[in-house]
Amino acid sequence: MIRENTVSSSPVEPAVRRMRVDSVVATVIVLVLALLVGLSIYAQSPPHAEPAEIPASSFSASRALRHLSVIAAKPHPTGSTAHGEVRDYLVRELEAIGLQTQVQNSALLNAYLKAPNNGVENILARLKGSGNGNAVLLVAHYDSVDDSFGASDDGSSVATLLETLRTLKAGEQLKNDVIVLFTDAEEQGMLGAQAFVAEHEWARDVYVVLNFEARGNTGPVLMFETSDNNGWLINEFAEAAPFPFAHSLSYEIYRLLPNDTDLSVFKEAGLVGFNFANIDGITHYHSSNDNLGAVDGDTMQHKGSYAVALAKHFGNADLTRTDNKNAVYFDLFGRMLVNYSNVWVIPLTALVCALYFGLLMLGFRKQKLTAQGILWGIVSLVVSLVLAALVSFALGKIVWLIRGAPALQSRLFLLGFIALAVVITSVVYRKLRRGASVESLAVGALMSWLLLMVVITFYTPGGSFLFHWPLLAAMIGVGVMMLLPEDKKTGAMFILGLCALPAIVLWVPVIYQVFIGLTLNWIALTVAQAVLLFGLLVPLSLAIKDSFKRVAIR
């Protein structure tokens, strides 16, 4: 009799297979999140410059750049011979487009000027609409500081508006008038804007203002400031802007800085409007490096996309709106703008708080949480944040002493400091975990976020979106992790990965922009933001770590 050999499967094999599946899922999650981080940063780029050969009714940065060979030929501060040459060139170009053009000469503010001259000389032109309604005002300043060619600040904006007006003139007639104002003496205290508001009859016709600035020579153009009660403006901006880079936190930050632009003057006069600027390449700002060769055509194309689209939109809009409350808003990859009224900020905060206490009840009922573990979760995140910020502040000063200005916006240094923050946070959590469960550590981190959310809600509501949506998603992930049994770790890790997406999509661009805008001088703030983000991802990172660890041990 021949007996068949039967091989019985070991009960260990299913566990091994689960470990392998866990490690594969963990690897995929890590790769997807890494790609999302990379995409979030890559998306912080302006659209490509269009060639001069495109139709006349479309904006071309290549055509706009031609104006800079005259505008940025030499430094042209107010009162200089070069400044007069730029003035005459701009008048000729506006008249060549076929616009009603004039020079506003004002001696009202001469006492503030540093050089003898003919007074503030604003340049104005008007593109007539078919109606008799209010006007859209496009603004850029044409003076430079003494030792700069003023190519980006603000020659690029002036050239952009020249091409914008040519584009509008080549298209269909708008309903409302469009006025362009090239202000003088902006660098000496927004004197040209003040003269226009105080003395020029066209100021009474202006309804909405679009002011274009530059604080560097490259990068995307951010809509970083609006007038107050901006709900209506943001709704219109979301509808019209083709490549919107904007979030309501930027104005909250800008209000804390000792900075002003021409828009400040218009806001004080009761007008509504937007402020636009590119902020990358700060080493070119107000220096001899701000020359024609350093201007980024892609950045000018982005400015032009705003100027043309918004001038057409408001040029055909019914400019009789009433003020709305401020909006909370943020862009997604520079392709769409999400916005809602800030009347929702407090209700959303209340909802998040209620769900958090529901999560606490669930965790204690499932015996997944301990009070001590939650405490260690809070302490771990706070210690990580403080320690990483202090170390980064000290190292940032050292880097500045060694490398100077070139390090201010270095992406390599940013990457290094973020990696340092991750290492410090990982070490702190490992040292302070004290046997606390992943759920307890996560809920502790969520409590820290919750407290910050409450503070933000009442003091800087424009930044509330950075807490509401990531917190809601994170709590869903932690709640699912508590509900699933131990043998469903793969499913829990997958859900945690999905719930990490809002935090990365919203926080990574802001962290990047804060570094670009505030530079290495504020690296402690950038690192603190990175630690906060990492703290929210603690349950996911620990789950991924455990999955790899189980396979390694096996």
Side-chain angles (χ1 to χ4, degrees):
M1 179 178 179
I2 299 174
R3 295 182 178 178
E4 295 183 2
N5 291 326
T6 58
V7 179
S8 61
S9 61
S10 167
V12 177
E13 289 183 2
V16 173
R17 285 196 295 270
R18 283 198 301 270
M19 291 178 188
R20 290 173 178 168
V21 171
D22 283 355
S23 64
V24 171
V25 172
T27 301
V28 171
I29 291 173
V30 170
L31 290 176
V32 169
L33 294 184
L35 286 173
L36 187 60
V37 170
L39 177 62
S40 297
I41 295 176
Y42 176 77
Q44 303 296 303
S45 302
H48 295 302
E50 294 288 353
E53 294 75 26
I54 64 172
S57 57
S58 298
F59 182 93
S60 165
S62 301
R63 286 194 289 252
L65 277 165
R66 295 172 180 173
H67 297 296
L68 284 179
S69 61
V70 176
I71 296 171
K74 60 188 78 170
H76 47 282
T78 297
S80 66
T81 301
H83 180 265
E85 293 170 356
V86 173
R87 176 201 61 215
D88 295 341
Y89 173 79
L90 296 178
V91 170
R92 289 196 303 270
E93 289 300 308
L94 290 169
E95 290 176 342
I97 295 172
L99 303 180
Q100 177 186 351
T101 305
Q102 58 180 269
V103 175
Q104 177 198 5
N105 186 285
S106 172
L108 178 67
L109 302 164
N110 257 9
Y112 295 94
L113 297 175
K114 298 177 181 178
N117 56 83
N118 296 323
V120 172
E121 295 182 310
N122 291 329
I123 303 168
L124 297 105
R126 191 160 187 156
L127 177 63
K128 293 292 294 182
S130 60
N132 295 313
N134 293 306
V136 181
L137 180 66
L138 306 178
V139 185
H141 70 89
Y142 76 101
D143 60 312
S144 74
V145 294
D146 291 345
D147 57 352
S148 173
F149 293 90
S152 289
D153 179 28
D154 197 23
S156 63
S157 299
V158 172
T160 293
L161 294 188
L162 284 175
E163 171 65 6
T164 295
L165 288 168
R166 188 210 56 75
T167 302
L168 296 175
K169 190 72 164 59
E172 295 182 3
Q173 186 179 26
L174 302 175
K175 172 185 173 183
N176 303 312
D177 290 4
V178 175
I179 299 172
V180 65
L181 169 63
F182 296 138
T183 59
D184 193 4
E186 189 274 347
E187 300 289 4
Q188 295 174 317
M190 295 82 68
L191 302 185
Q194 293 181 48
F196 175 75
V197 168
E199 301 177 12
H200 203 282
E201 61 179 354
W202 287 0
R204 294 191 295 272
D205 301 330
V206 174
Y207 190 84
V208 61
V209 181
L210 281 68
N211 185 60
F212 293 88
E213 266 286 0
R215 191 171 168 263
N217 71 310
T218 187
V221 180
L222 310 179
M223 194 285 288
F224 66 95
E225 182 190 11
T226 71
S227 50
D228 202 17
N229 298 317
N230 61 19
W232 175 78
L233 287 172
I234 295 301
N235 282 332
E236 302 302 310
F237 178 77
E239 182 180 339
F243 302 101
F245 284 82
H247 54 77
S248 46
L249 177 65
S250 64
Y251 182 47
E252 302 283 7
I253 295 176
Y254 184 74
R255 288 195 303 171
L256 301 176
L257 302 176
N259 299 338
D260 282 301
T261 67
D262 281 339
L263 186 66
S264 303
V265 176
F266 297 117
K267 286 170 60 177
E268 290 175 4
L271 298 176
V272 301
F274 304 92
N275 230 345
F276 301 89
N278 55 292
I279 60 175
D280 202 350
I282 195 172
T283 53
H284 293 77
Y285 181 60
H286 282 186
S287 75
S288 58
N289 294 326
D290 188 8
N291 53 47
L292 180 60
V295 173
D296 187 346
D298 291 352
T299 298
M300 289 184 66
Q301 187 70 39
H302 196 191
K303 279 186 182 179
S305 75
Y306 283 129
V308 172
L310 293 174
K312 287 182 176 179
H313 182 80
F314 287 110
N316 286 316
D318 181 11
L319 300 181
T320 58
R321 65 92 184 93
T322 57
D323 289 338
N324 292 334
K325 290 184 177 294
N326 281 327
V328 177
Y329 54 94
F330 53 90
D331 71 88
L332 296 177
F333 304 105
R335 292 301 182 270
M336 67 173 292
L337 194 81
V338 177
N339 71 101
Y340 49 90
S341 173
N342 69 358
V343 300
W344 290 102
V345 171
I346 292 179
L348 281 170
T349 295
L351 173 63
V352 173
C353 290
L355 291 177
Y356 179 80
F357 287 112
L359 186 66
L360 280 178
M361 294 173 61
L362 174 66
F364 282 114
R365 188 169 65 248
K366 291 286 186 179
Q367 297 182 340
K368 299 285 188 178
L369 300 177
T370 65
Q372 185 179 26
I374 294 173
L375 178 61
W376 283 119
I378 297 171
V379 171
S380 296
L381 182 57
V382 172
V383 170
S384 299
L385 193 151
V386 172
L387 184 59
L390 289 175
V391 172
S392 299
F393 176 80
L395 286 179
K397 294 299 182 184
I398 294 172
V399 169
W400 169 255
L401 289 174
I402 296 174
R403 292 293 304 275
L408 282 176
Q409 291 179 326
S410 168
R411 275 65 165 177
L412 185 60
F413 281 117
L414 173 61
L415 181 62
F417 278 105
I418 296 298
L420 176 64
V422 171
V423 170
I424 290 174
T425 305
S426 300
V427 170
V428 169
Y429 267 87
R430 187 169 66 247
K431 296 294 185 182
L432 297 182
R433 183 172 180 176
R434 302 297 178 95
S437 66
V438 174
E439 293 87 350
S440 292
L441 291 175
V443 170
L446 289 175
M447 183 174 288
S448 301
W449 271 68
L450 197 77
L451 294 174
L452 283 173
M453 178 193 67
V454 172
V455 173
I456 292 293
T457 293
F458 292 101
Y459 289 97
T460 53
S464 60
F465 71 93
L466 286 171
F467 291 85
H468 286 151
W469 308 114
L471 265 174
L472 282 170
M475 286 192 295
I476 291 172
V478 175
V480 170
M481 183 172 60
M482 291 178 180
L483 290 171
L484 289 178
E486 286 296 318
D487 60 348
K488 300 294 184 181
K489 290 182 180 293
T490 304
M493 185 165 54
F494 178 75
I495 296 298
L496 286 171
L498 287 178
C499 292
L501 299 182
I504 291 175
V505 169
L506 294 179
W507 274 83
V508 169
V510 170
I511 291 172
Y512 180 79
Q513 289 173 13
V514 166
F515 174 75
I516 296 301
L518 300 182
T519 73
L520 188 68
N521 293 326
W522 288 76
I523 190 62
L525 176 59
T526 304
V527 165
Q529 291 175 309
V531 172
L532 274 177
L533 175 58
F534 191 71
L536 202 65
L537 304 180
V538 161
L540 175 61
S541 60
L542 290 178
I544 291 172
K545 176 186 173 184
D546 289 345
S547 68
F548 288 137
K549 186 177 180 180
R550 287 194 298 272
V551 172
I553 291 175
R554 180 65 188 173

